């Protein structure tokens, strides 16, 4: 596995419970690599690897037990001052395609001197691949158009 | 262009300038068209036009705030106003392009680019109502126009052909209009754009609901909204083109030569087979990816090429006036080489007749800089816009917004009525794009769900599915009367990158419109209660256009309907142009665009300004004979 895709399996594995979408849907966006690279670029190698190791351990320990997984994700990731902001950013990146600025205090402590921590779409494709549109029964505005008169009927069930 | 005298010099390639240019060139006149924006938008070679448009799309996808001007280049030498710059005033005069000096900021924008603001308009194509032209004689308010609805009616038909309006006459029902509002057996070029899933639910909910207003009872109804976007052609439509008849000295709608001919939708400028139907991109504002929505580049493309000289990156600064005759002798301009550099060359364009078609605010700026039309003393005055009050809530059931054209249905009930003696009329479009406008949805809802509600995974997905699919947004677009105090001026202390004037704007909303906020909010409350909509409307006092009336706070928004500033009227003292849209003070100067509108009414102004542009073109052709 080359450097750019290192950790991709781990990233996808934790992204499944974080987003509520199956692995195949996440892969189908074509964005997994770009999102992981964004995390690496802005928070650094060390923090990214530490995060992926931590999430892999969580998934390994709880196995397929969903209530246990929920408890671990909440207690170890979302409630954590260290991992919480990053976890919320990863969720929002999958849903909206944009990186949200991590708090300056967090960056100072964990993000070292890495650059790029401003609000931005990862790429034009990232906007178009946001999971939010499917979740709300729509499509990205300006893209993946559903066709003439489609708006006058309810969207097809998934 | 220095050495050539054209028949007509036109400033601005938006819908008004493009209609005049197309009509005149097709009638055999030599036209010079000056555009302040970049050449790129006018690239009519297939590859160039396509590539340019894809650049616009990339800018749109990556723009954090997908505001009307987001996809288009930000040119310092011909800057466009941006709605993101409309801050509360509090002593801040010059954030962005406008210098705001009034009590409230003027919150609308326009695009200084080839194709003008039709690049990012919504496409709504409503005609004004007969009473809109006679507000003084019917309601004792403002002024009457020097022309009436009957005068404009044939030009409305030309405009509807040019834009390619999709609508069905049978379900257009407006207050206080007769059976002759549309011509006998009139049909639009295309059948109506299908109404949205939201509309159907809303129409069912509204049916039979009695609304109280000012002690009267109304039974409001819904009407499908005529739109400038491609739908299914109506085989009964029989008009092939608008042509100049040299014998009658009139513009006429010419019939198709053969019975079997039908209207063909005008597709993208790079490919006639793209954009033949609206595809439901749901991004009409700021950009239709396939150009199924009309824009002025389509009109410009159909001008007669050999009679049209088109030059971009040329900013008209001033018109030169022969003081002995009052005639215009040239348009002085600055041509910049690079969008942001301070370098430019100067020149003068010459013609027999001059047409300013540079948007109401830019037209006023040029007139003021030239000390033109001085007799009236109202150049720049009477700036108007629709003050849009928004109300929003969650429907009981899922209606799946963020799909389809921005709005496909409206409530026309309050567009006219005796209440106009006391307060503004309004139109209520039903929005198809959720709470995007007032709250920045959907990403703000996502952030709230993740950061505040602490949702993730399947719960987050379910929450998004439940909440965002029930969002309802109503507009109450309230008319504003012409007020001398609402105006554009110039000031040598506020210049742009190449030393041209920036618009200094003094703006406020008076009681006539404020009373309509109160009245329309009451109507909204009754609709929400009657339909079981959970009301989430709120008007924070830190919003730019926060204002109070009768102890209640309201936030309104600009509609992008920039109207007035060189109003049409009956005398050279009360108006800038006459009923021919010719400047009272300068025989060979015509002003076109929404700046000519004497009052605003409740319709989006583009169709009316397009109709007026055909009328102006006819007057110019008569004058040139």
């Amino acid at each position: 596995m080359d450097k750019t895709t290192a950790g991709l399996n781990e990233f996808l594995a934790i992204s499944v419970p974080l987003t509520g979408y199956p692995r195949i849907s996440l892969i189908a966006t074509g964005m997994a690599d770009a999102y992981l690279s964004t995390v690496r670029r802005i928070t650094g190698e060390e923090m990214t690897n530490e995060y992926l190791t931590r999430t892999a351990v969580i998934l390994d320990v709880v196995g397929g037990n969903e209530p246990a997984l929920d408890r671990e994700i909440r207690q170890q990731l979302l409630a954590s001052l260290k991992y919480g902001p990053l976890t919320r950013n990863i969720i929002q990146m999958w849903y909206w395609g944009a990186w949200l600025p991590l708090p300056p205090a967090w960056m100072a402590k964990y993000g070292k001197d890495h650059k790029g921590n401003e609000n931005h779409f990862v790429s034009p494709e990232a906007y178009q691949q946001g999971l939010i549109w499917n979740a709300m029964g729509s499509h990205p505005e300006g893209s993946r158009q559903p066709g003439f008169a489609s708006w006058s009927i309810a969207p097809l069930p998934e | 262009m220095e050495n050539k005298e054209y028949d007509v010099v036109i400033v601005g390639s938006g819908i008004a300038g493009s209609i005049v240019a197309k009509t005149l060139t097709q009638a055999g006149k030599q036209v010079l068209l000056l555009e302040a924006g970049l050449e790129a938008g006018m690239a009519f070679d297939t590859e160039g036009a396509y590539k340019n448009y894809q650049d616009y799309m990339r800018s749109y996808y990556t723009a954090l705030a997908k505001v009307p001007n987001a996809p288009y280049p930000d040119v310092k030498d011909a800057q466009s106003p941006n709605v993101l710059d409309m801050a509360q005033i509090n002593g801040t005069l010059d954030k962005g392009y406008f210098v705001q000096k009034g009590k409230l900021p003027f919150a609308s924008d326009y695009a200084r680019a080839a194709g003008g603001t039709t690049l990012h308009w919504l496409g709504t194509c409503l005609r004004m109502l007969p009473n809109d032209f006679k507000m003084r004689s019917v309601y004792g308010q403002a002024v009457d126009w020097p022309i009436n609805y009957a005068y404009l009616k044939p030009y409305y038909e030309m405009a509807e052909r040019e834009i390619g309006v999709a609508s069905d006459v049978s379900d257009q029902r407006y207050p206080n209009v007769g059976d002759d509002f549309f011509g006998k057996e009139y049909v639009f070029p295309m059948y109506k754009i299908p109404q949205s899933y939201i509309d159907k639910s809303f129409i069912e909910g509204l049916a039979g609901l009695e609304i109280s207003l000012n002690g009267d009872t109304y039974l409001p109804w819904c009407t499908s909204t005529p739109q400038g976007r491609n739908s299914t052609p109506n085989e009964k439509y029989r008009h092939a083109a608008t042509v100049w008849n040299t014998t009658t000295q009139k513009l006429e709608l010419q019939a198709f030569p053969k019975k079997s001919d039908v209207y063909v939708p005008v597709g993208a400028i790079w490919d006639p087979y793209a954009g033949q139907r609206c595809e439901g991109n749901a991004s009409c504002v700021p950009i239709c990816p396939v150009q199924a929505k009309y824009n002025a580049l389509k009109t410009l493309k159909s001008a007669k090429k050999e009679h049209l000289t088109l030059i971009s990156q040329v900013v008209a600064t001033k018109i030169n006036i022969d003081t002995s005759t009052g005639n215009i002798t040239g348009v002085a301009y600055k041509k910049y080489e690079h969008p942001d550099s301070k370098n430019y060359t100067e020149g003068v364009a010459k013609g027999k007749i001059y047409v300013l078609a540079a948007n109401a605010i830019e037209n006023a700026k040029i007139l003021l800089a030239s000390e033109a039309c001085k007799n009236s003393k109202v150049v720049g005055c009477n700036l108007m816009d629709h003050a849009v009050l928004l109300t929003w809530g969650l429907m009981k059931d899922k209606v799946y917004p963020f799909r389809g054209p921005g709005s496909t249905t409206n409530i026309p009930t309050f567009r006219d009525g005796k209440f106009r003696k006391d307060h503004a009329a309004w139109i209520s479009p039903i929005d198809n794009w959720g709470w995007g406008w007032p709250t920045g949805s959907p990403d703000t809802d996502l952030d709230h769900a993740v950061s505040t509600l602490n949702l993730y995974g399947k719960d987050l997905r379910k929450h998004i599915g439940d909440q965002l699919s029930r969002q309802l947004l109503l507009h109450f677009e309230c008319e504003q009367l012409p007020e001398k105090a609402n105006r554009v001026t110039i000031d040598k202390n506020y210049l742009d990158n190449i030393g041209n004037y920036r618009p200094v704007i003094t703006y406020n909303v008076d009681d006539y419109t404020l009373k309509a906020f109160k009245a329309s909010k009451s109507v909204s409350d009754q609709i929400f209660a009657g339909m079981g909509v959970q009301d989430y409307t709120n008007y924070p006092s830190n919003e730019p256009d926060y204002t109070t009336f009768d102890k209640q706070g309201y936030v309104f928004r600009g509609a992008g309907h920039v109207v007035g500033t060189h109003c049409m009227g009956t005398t050279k003292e009360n108006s800038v142009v006459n009923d021919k849209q010719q400047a009272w003070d300068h025989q060979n100067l015509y002003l076109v665009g929404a700046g000519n509108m004497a009052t605003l009414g409740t319709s989006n102004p583009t169709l009316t300004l397009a109709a007026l542009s055909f009328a102006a073109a006819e007057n110019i052709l008569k004058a040139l004979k």
Side-chain angles (χ1 to χ4, degrees):
Chain A
M1 194 177 277
D2 66 28
K3 195 182 169 194
T4 56
T5 52
L8 194 61
N9 276 331
E10 291 84 349
F11 183 66
L12 280 166
I14 192 61
S15 292
V16 169
L18 288 182
T19 61
Y21 276 83
R23 184 182 168 91
I24 189 69
S25 298
L26 301 183
I27 291 171
T29 65
M31 297 310 302
D33 219 357
Y35 292 158
L36 177 57
S37 299
T38 301
V39 173
R40 274 194 205 289
R41 178 168 53 85
I42 298 167
T43 68
E45 283 288 327
E46 200 182 323
M47 170 54 76
T48 307
N49 293 339
E50 183 185 319
Y51 183 79
L52 292 176
T53 304
R54 170 64 67 101
T55 58
V57 170
I58 293 171
L59 291 168
D60 191 39
V61 169
V62 299
N65 183 335
E66 284 207 14
L69 179 59
D70 178 57
R71 190 179 172 80
E72 294 306 308
I73 284 177
R74 289 202 171 279
Q75 290 198 348
Q76 293 200 45
L77 299 180
L78 294 172
S80 158
L81 294 179
K82 188 175 188 181
Y83 301 126
L86 179 53
T87 304
R88 282 185 278 275
N89 256 32
I90 291 170
I91 296 168
Q92 295 215 43
M93 193 156 54
W94 277 112
Y95 267 78
W96 186 239
W99 178 263
L100 298 177
L102 289 166
W106 191 98
M107 283 303 284
K109 197 166 179 186
Y110 306 113
K112 308 273 181 334
D113 294 325
H114 298 286
K115 303 219 180 310
N117 183 42
E118 61 270 358
N119 195 359
H120 68 281
F121 279 100
V122 169
S123 65
E125 291 72 27
Y127 163 76
Q128 296 172 73
Q129 293 297 337
L131 298 173
I132 192 171
W133 305 104
N134 169 286
M136 62 202 252
S138 182
H139 65 97
E141 291 173 285
S143 182
R144 302 221 304 266
Q145 62 273 22
F148 186 70
S150 57
W151 55 87
S152 62
I153 54 173
L156 293 172
E158 285 176 52
Chain B
M1 60 184 170
E2 274 293 281
N3 303 321
K4 187 165 174 184
E5 189 187 90
Y6 294 85
D7 289 316
V8 180
V9 177
I10 302 173
V11 177
S13 71
I15 184 167
S18 294
I19 284 175
V20 175
K22 171 181 175 166
T23 309
L24 298 182
T25 56
Q26 290 189 343
K29 305 302 175 193
Q30 291 292 337
V31 171
L32 173 65
L33 180 56
L34 307 176
E35 168 53 48
L38 302 184
E39 178 72 34
M42 291 189 274
F44 290 135
D45 63 292
T46 306
E47 200 180 327
Y50 179 75
K51 187 181 166 299
N52 174 67
Y53 212 74
Q54 296 318 303
D55 285 344
Y56 289 172
M57 288 306 300
R58 268 189 293 281
S59 300
Y60 164 71
Y61 290 141
T62 52
L64 290 173
K66 297 185 184 334
V67 294
N69 277 329
Y72 309 108
D74 181 20
V75 176
K76 273 192 188 162
D77 292 355
Q79 207 179 343
S80 297
N82 192 317
V83 291
L84 297 175
D85 294 329
M86 312 302 173
Q88 259 182 346
I89 288 186
N90 300 331
T92 311
L93 297 179
D94 59 348
K95 186 177 179 219
Y97 177 54
F98 288 160
V99 181
Q100 306 261 15
K101 278 195 167 171
K103 197 172 171 200
L104 292 167
F106 184 73
S108 279
D109 64 9
Y110 48 91
R112 294 173 80 192
T117 309
T118 56
L119 292 175
H120 67 58
W121 73 316
L122 184 58
T124 300
C125 281
L126 294 153
R127 296 186 188 185
M128 290 179 75
L129 304 182
N131 282 345
D132 295 338
F133 297 88
K134 32 187 191 183
M135 286 293 287
R136 169 57 60 180
S137 48
V138 180
Y139 298 116
Q141 296 290 346
V143 291
D144 287 354
W145 290 46
I147 57 173
N148 59 21
Y149 177 78
Y151 168 87
L152 213 49
K153 196 165 143 185
Y155 305 106
Y156 268 132
E157 294 185 359
M158 293 174 203
E160 282 158 355
R161 196 209 173 281
E162 187 61 40
I163 291 169
V165 177
S167 184
D168 291 355
V169 170
S170 61
D171 61 14
Q172 294 304 299
R173 190 182 145 212
Y174 311 129
N176 299 330
V177 303
D179 293 339
D180 57 349
F181 185 74
F182 294 104
K184 207 180 170 199
E185 295 179 6
Y186 183 71
V187 298
F188 288 91
M190 291 179 274
Y191 287 110
K192 75 176 180 186
I193 292 282
Q195 288 165 277
S196 72
Y197 192 68
I198 299 169
D199 294 343
K200 289 177 184 173
S201 178
F202 188 86
I203 291 165
E204 280 169 25
L206 192 68
L209 183 65
E210 287 188 2
I211 300 282
S212 295
L213 180 66
N214 311 320
D216 293 317
T217 301
Y218 292 82
L219 267 173
W221 68 91
C222 291
T223 297
S224 71
T225 303
Q227 292 157 66
R229 55 176 49 76
N230 289 332
S231 170
T232 308
N234 186 334
E235 64 285 351
K236 292 200 184 93
Y237 187 75
R238 299 313 308 156
H239 302 303
T242 300
V243 294
W244 170 242
N245 184 326
T246 49
T247 313
T248 60
Q249 295 281 293
K250 277 185 161 305
L251 286 178
E252 292 169 357
L253 276 166
Q254 194 173 55
F256 286 120
K258 288 187 296 195
K259 221 178 169 182
S260 57
D261 289 339
V262 288
Y263 178 86
V264 178
V266 183
I269 56 166
W270 61 83
D271 177 5
Y273 300 109
Q276 283 271 317
R277 297 288 183 281
C278 172
E279 299 174 352
N281 268 292
S283 62
C284 323
V285 178
I287 186 164
C288 173
V290 295
Q291 292 192 346
K293 182 187 70 175
Y294 169 86
N295 67 58
L297 296 170
K298 297 184 181 189
T299 292
L300 203 53
K301 197 183 177 188
S302 61
K304 198 169 180 183
K305 292 289 162 311
E306 54 272 38
H307 288 186
L308 180 67
T309 306
L310 200 151
I311 307 177
S312 63
Q313 303 188 194
V314 169
V315 189
T317 54
K318 205 178 147 207
I319 49 177
N320 297 331
I321 304 164
D322 178 338
T323 48
S324 60
T325 62
N327 276 342
I328 307 303
T329 59
V331 176
Y333 60 80
K334 291 179 180 172
K335 180 166 176 58
Y336 56 89
E337 290 306 318
H338 303 287
D340 300 335
S341 92
K342 289 190 181 296
N343 299 325
Y344 57 83
T345 53
E346 290 183 277
V348 177
K350 289 183 175 293
K352 297 187 182 88
I353 285 181
Y354 297 86
V355 178
L356 294 187
N359 169 283
I361 287 175
E362 298 299 317
N363 273 0
K365 247 179 58 184
I366 296 167
L367 294 174
L368 290 165
S370 318
E371 298 191 23
C373 303
K374 279 170 77 178
N375 270 320
S376 72
K377 300 188 176 62
V378 291
V379 173
C381 299
N382 306 318
L383 176 66
M384 291 171 266
D385 191 2
H386 285 119
V388 186
L389 197 75
L390 301 175
T391 62
W392 57 100
L394 292 181
M395 300 276 276
K396 279 200 297 191
D397 300 314
K398 292 185 177 187
V399 289
Y400 303 105
F402 297 94
R403 301 184 309 145
S407 179
T408 37
T409 293
N410 69 81
I411 304 170
T413 314
F414 303 101
R415 289 186 64 190
D416 191 34
K418 64 180 183 188
F419 56 81
R420 281 174 111 178
K421 287 180 181 164
D422 188 46
H423 65 69
W426 66 81
I427 188 167
S428 305
I430 292 124
D431 200 292
N432 288 333
W433 296 344
W435 301 351
W437 198 1
T439 74
S441 186
D443 55 317
T444 49
D445 293 300
L446 171 68
D447 191 35
H448 179 73
V450 174
S451 303
T452 306
L453 304 180
N454 282 314
L455 294 173
Y456 80 94
K458 286 178 183 161
D459 291 342
L460 171 65
R461 190 174 165 184
K462 186 169 181 300
H463 173 83
I464 297 280
D466 287 342
Q467 298 284 303
L468 282 154
S469 59
R470 292 195 291 135
Q471 290 189 348
L472 172 73
L473 174 66
L474 298 184
H475 302 199
F476 296 88
E477 306 200 354
C478 304
E479 72 183 322
Q480 194 172 20
L481 296 178
E483 292 283 337
K484 208 171 170 182
N486 285 339
R487 64 190 301 182
V488 181
T489 55
I490 53 172
D491 181 336
K492 61 179 174 6
N493 292 312
Y494 299 106
L495 301 177
D496 71 9
N497 200 40
I498 52 171
N500 287 325
Y501 288 106
R502 290 167 53 198
V504 178
I505 296 186
T506 311
Y507 185 70
N508 198 9
V509 173
D510 74 3
D511 280 2
Y512 189 74
T513 302
L514 290 171
K515 279 182 195 169
F517 289 172
K518 183 179 176 181
S520 59
K521 181 63 168 62
S522 162
V523 169
S524 177
D525 291 345
Q526 293 173 64
I527 291 174
F528 280 16
M531 292 175 48
V533 174
Q534 295 170 20
D535 196 347
Y536 278 77
T537 308
N538 79 91
Y539 301 127
S541 59
N542 61 351
E543 292 270 352
D545 273 323
Y546 175 85
T547 186
T548 56
F549 179 74
D550 205 8
K551 296 178 189 148
Q552 279 294 317
Y554 301 93
V555 171
F556 71 94
R557 271 117 180 138
H561 302 163
V562 187
V563 168
T565 73
H566 46 78
C567 289
M568 184 188 293
T570 48
T571 71
K572 65 180 179 184
E573 285 79 29
N574 71 11
S575 56
V576 181
V577 297
N578 61 25
D579 60 359
K580 295 186 178 67
Q581 301 172 68
Q582 178 187 35
W584 286 106
D585 295 354
H586 314 285
Q587 220 185 353
N588 65 340
L589 176 65
Y590 289 77
L591 305 177
V592 296
N596 285 347
M597 292 170 63
T599 57
L600 179 54
T602 54
S603 48
N604 310 43
T606 303
L607 185 76
T608 298
L609 85 84
L612 285 167
S613 300
F614 275 109
E618 184 179 270
N619 292 326
I620 292 164
L621 284 166
K622 274 186 205 166
L624 277 171
K625 71 173 177 182

